Coordinates of all heavy atoms in Angstrom, one line a residue:
Chain B
R113 N 78.6 55.8 98.7 CA 78.9 56.3 97.3 C 78.5 57.8 97.2 O 79.3 58.6 96.8 CB 78.0 55.5 96.3 CG 78.6 55.6 94.9 CD 78.0 54.5 94.0 NE 76.6 54.3 94.2 CZ 76.0 53.2 94.4 NH1 76.7 52.1 94.5 NH2 74.7 53.1 94.6
E114 N 77.3 58.2 97.8 CA 76.9 59.6 97.8 C 77.8 60.4 98.7 O 78.1 61.6 98.4 CB 75.5 59.7 98.2 CG 74.5 59.1 97.3 CD 74.5 59.9 95.9 OE1 74.3 61.1 96.0 OE2 74.7 59.3 94.9
C115 N 78.2 59.8 99.8 CA 79.0 60.6 100.8 C 80.4 60.8 100.3 O 81.2 61.6 100.9 CB 79.0 59.9 102.2 SG 77.4 60.2 103.0
C116 N 80.9 60.1 99.3 CA 82.1 60.4 98.6 C 81.9 61.3 97.5 O 82.8 62.2 97.2 CB 82.8 59.1 98.1 SG 83.5 58.1 99.4
A117 N 80.8 61.2 96.8 CA 80.6 62.0 95.5 C 80.6 63.4 95.9 O 81.1 64.3 95.1 CB 79.3 61.5 94.9
V118 N 79.9 63.8 97.0 CA 79.8 65.2 97.4 C 81.1 65.9 97.7 O 81.5 66.9 97.1 CB 78.7 65.4 98.5 CG1 78.7 66.9 98.9 CG2 77.3 65.0 98.0
P119 N 81.9 65.3 98.6 CA 83.2 65.9 98.9 C 84.2 65.9 97.6 O 85.0 66.8 97.5 CB 83.8 65.2 100.0 CG 83.0 63.9 100.2 CD 81.7 64.2 99.6
L120 N 84.0 64.9 96.8 CA 84.8 64.9 95.5 C 84.4 66.1 94.7 O 85.3 66.7 94.1 CB 84.6 63.6 94.7 CG 85.5 62.4 95.1 CD1 85.1 61.2 94.3 CD2 87.0 62.7 94.7
D121 N 83.1 66.4 94.6 CA 82.7 67.5 93.8 C 83.2 68.8 94.5 O 83.5 69.7 93.8 CB 81.1 67.4 93.7 CG 80.7 67.9 92.4 OD1 81.5 67.9 91.4 OD2 79.5 68.2 92.2
I122 N 83.2 68.9 95.8 CA 83.7 70.1 96.5 C 85.2 70.2 96.1 O 85.6 71.3 95.8 CB 83.5 69.9 98.0 CG1 82.1 69.9 98.4 CG2 84.3 71.1 98.7 CD1 81.8 69.6 99.9
M123 N 85.9 69.1 96.1 CA 87.3 69.2 95.7 C 87.5 69.7 94.2 O 88.4 70.5 94.0 CB 88.0 67.8 95.8 CG 88.2 67.3 97.3 SD 89.1 65.8 97.4 CE 90.8 66.3 97.1
R124 N 86.6 69.2 93.3 CA 86.7 69.7 91.9 C 86.5 71.2 91.9 O 87.2 71.9 91.1 CB 85.7 68.9 91.1 CG 86.0 67.5 90.9 CD 85.0 66.8 89.9 NE 85.1 65.3 90.1 CZ 84.1 64.6 90.7 NH1 82.9 65.2 91.0 NH2 84.2 63.3 90.8
C125 N 85.5 71.6 92.6 CA 85.2 73.1 92.7 C 86.4 73.9 93.2 O 86.8 75.0 92.7 CB 84.0 73.4 93.5 SG 82.4 72.9 92.8
C126 N 87.1 73.3 94.2 CA 88.3 74.0 94.8 C 89.4 74.1 93.8 O 90.1 75.1 93.7 CB 88.8 73.2 96.0 SG 87.7 73.3 97.4
C127 N 89.6 73.0 93.0 CA 90.6 73.1 91.9 C 90.3 74.2 90.9 O 91.2 74.9 90.5 CB 90.7 71.7 91.2 SG 91.3 70.4 92.3
E128 N 89.0 74.2 90.5 CA 88.6 75.3 89.6 C 88.9 76.7 90.2 O 89.3 77.6 89.5 CB 87.2 75.1 89.1 CG 86.8 76.0 88.0 CD 85.5 75.9 87.4 OE1 84.8 74.8 87.6 OE2 85.0 76.8 86.7
A129 N 88.5 76.8 91.5 CA 88.7 78.1 92.2 C 90.2 78.5 92.2 O 90.5 79.6 92.1 CB 88.1 78.0 93.6
I130 N 91.0 77.5 92.5 CA 92.5 77.8 92.5 C 93.0 78.2 91.1 O 93.7 79.2 91.0 CB 93.3 76.5 93.1 CG1 92.9 76.3 94.5 CG2 94.8 76.7 92.9 CD1 93.3 75.0 95.1
D131 N 92.5 77.6 90.1 CA 92.8 78.0 88.7 C 92.4 79.5 88.5 O 93.1 80.3 87.9 CB 92.1 77.1 87.6 CG 92.9 75.8 87.5 OD1 94.1 75.8 87.7 OD2 92.2 74.8 87.0
L132 N 91.2 79.8 89.0 CA 90.7 81.2 88.8 C 91.6 82.2 89.5 O 91.8 83.3 89.0 CB 89.2 81.3 89.4 CG 88.1 80.7 88.6 CD1 86.8 81.0 89.3 CD2 88.0 81.4 87.2
H133 N 92.0 81.8 90.7 CA 92.9 82.7 91.5 C 94.2 83.0 90.7 O 94.8 84.1 90.8 CB 93.2 82.1 92.9 CG 92.1 82.4 93.9 ND1 90.9 81.7 93.9 CD2 91.9 83.4 94.8 CE1 90.2 82.2 94.9 NE2 90.7 83.3 95.4
E134 N 94.7 81.9 90.0 CA 95.9 82.1 89.2 C 95.7 83.3 88.2 O 96.5 84.1 88.0 CB 96.2 80.8 88.5 CG 97.5 80.9 87.7 CD 97.8 79.6 87.0 OE1 96.9 78.9 86.6 OE2 99.0 79.2 86.9
E135 N 94.5 83.3 87.6 CA 94.2 84.3 86.6 C 93.9 85.7 87.3 O 94.3 86.7 86.8 CB 93.0 83.9 85.8 CG 93.3 82.6 85.0 CD 92.5 82.5 83.7 OE1 92.5 83.4 82.9 OE2 91.9 81.5 83.5
F136 N 93.2 85.6 88.4 CA 93.0 86.9 89.1 C 94.3 87.5 89.6 O 94.5 88.7 89.6 CB 92.1 86.7 90.3 CG 90.6 86.6 90.0 CD1 89.8 85.5 90.4 CD2 90.0 87.6 89.2 CE1 88.5 85.4 90.1 CE2 88.6 87.5 88.9 CZ 87.9 86.4 89.3
A137 N 95.3 86.7 90.0 CA 96.6 87.2 90.4 C 97.3 87.8 89.2 O 98.0 88.9 89.4 CB 97.4 86.1 91.0
A138 N 97.1 87.2 88.0 CA 97.9 87.7 86.9 C 97.2 89.0 86.3 O 97.9 89.9 85.8 CB 97.9 86.6 85.8
K139 N 95.8 89.1 86.4 CA 95.1 90.1 85.6 C 94.4 91.1 86.5 O 94.0 92.2 86.0 CB 94.1 89.5 84.7 CG 94.7 88.6 83.6 CD 93.7 87.8 82.8 CE 94.4 87.0 81.8 NZ 93.5 86.0 81.1
G140 N 94.2 90.8 87.8 CA 93.4 91.7 88.7 C 94.2 92.8 89.2 O 95.5 92.9 89.1
T141 N 93.5 93.8 89.8 CA 94.2 95.0 90.3 C 95.2 94.7 91.3 O 94.9 94.0 92.3 CB 93.1 96.0 90.8 OG1 93.8 97.1 91.4 CG2 92.2 95.4 91.8
A142 N 96.3 95.4 91.2 CA 97.4 95.1 92.2 C 97.1 95.6 93.6 O 97.6 95.1 94.6 CB 98.7 95.8 91.7
I143 N 96.2 96.6 93.7 CA 95.9 97.1 95.1 C 95.2 96.0 95.9 O 95.2 96.2 97.2 CB 95.0 98.4 95.0 CG1 93.6 98.1 94.4 CG2 95.7 99.5 94.4 CD1 92.5 99.1 94.8
A144 N 94.6 95.0 95.3 CA 93.9 94.0 96.1 C 94.6 92.7 96.1 O 94.0 91.6 96.4 CB 92.4 93.9 95.7
I145 N 95.8 92.7 95.7 CA 96.5 91.4 95.5 C 96.6 90.5 96.7 O 96.5 89.3 96.6 CB 98.0 91.6 94.9 CG1 98.6 90.3 94.4 CG2 98.8 92.4 95.9 CD1 98.0 89.7 93.2
S146 N 96.6 91.1 97.9 CA 96.7 90.3 99.1 C 95.4 89.5 99.2 O 95.5 88.3 99.8 CB 96.8 91.2 100.4 OG 95.6 92.0 100.6
D147 N 94.3 90.0 98.7 CA 93.0 89.2 98.8 C 93.1 88.0 97.9 O 92.4 87.0 98.2 CB 91.9 90.1 98.4 CG 91.7 91.2 99.5 OD1 91.6 90.9 100.6 OD2 91.7 92.4 99.1
V148 N 93.8 88.0 96.8 CA 94.0 86.8 96.0 C 94.8 85.7 96.8 O 94.4 84.5 96.8 CB 94.8 87.1 94.7 CG1 95.1 85.8 93.9 CG2 94.1 88.0 93.8
G149 N 95.8 86.2 97.6 CA 96.5 85.2 98.5 C 95.6 84.7 99.5 O 95.6 83.4 99.8
C150 N 94.8 85.5 100.2 CA 93.8 85.0 101.2 C 92.9 84.0 100.6 O 92.6 83.0 101.2 CB 93.0 86.2 101.8 SG 94.0 87.4 102.7
G151 N 92.4 84.4 99.4 CA 91.4 83.5 98.7 C 91.9 82.1 98.4 O 91.3 81.1 98.7
V152 N 93.1 82.1 97.8 CA 93.6 80.9 97.3 C 94.0 79.9 98.4 O 93.8 78.7 98.3 CB 94.8 81.1 96.3 CG1 96.1 81.4 97.1 CG2 95.0 79.9 95.4
I153 N 94.4 80.5 99.6 CA 94.8 79.6 100.7 C 93.5 79.1 101.4 O 93.6 78.0 101.9 CB 95.8 80.4 101.6 CG1 96.8 79.4 102.3 CG2 95.1 81.2 102.7 CD1 97.7 78.8 101.3
C154 N 92.5 79.8 101.3 CA 91.2 79.3 101.8 C 90.7 78.1 100.9 O 90.2 77.1 101.4 CB 90.1 80.3 101.8 SG 90.4 81.6 103.1
C155 N 90.9 78.3 99.6 CA 90.5 77.2 98.7 C 91.3 76.0 98.9 O 90.8 74.8 98.8 CB 90.6 77.7 97.2 SG 89.4 79.0 96.8

Side-chain angles (χ1 to χ4, degrees):
Chain B
R113 201 162 45 231
E114 290 298 302
C115 285
C116 283
V118 172
L120 271 174
D121 219 15
I122 295 171
M123 292 184 76
R124 291 183 201 113
C125 288
C126 292
C127 295
E128 188 175 342
I130 292 166
D131 282 335
L132 284 181
H133 278 83
E134 185 180 34
E135 298 206 52
F136 281 125
K139 296 173 181 168
T141 173
I143 61 158
I145 190 67
S146 69
D147 296 303
V148 175
C150 295
V152 81
I153 212 67
C154 290
C155 293

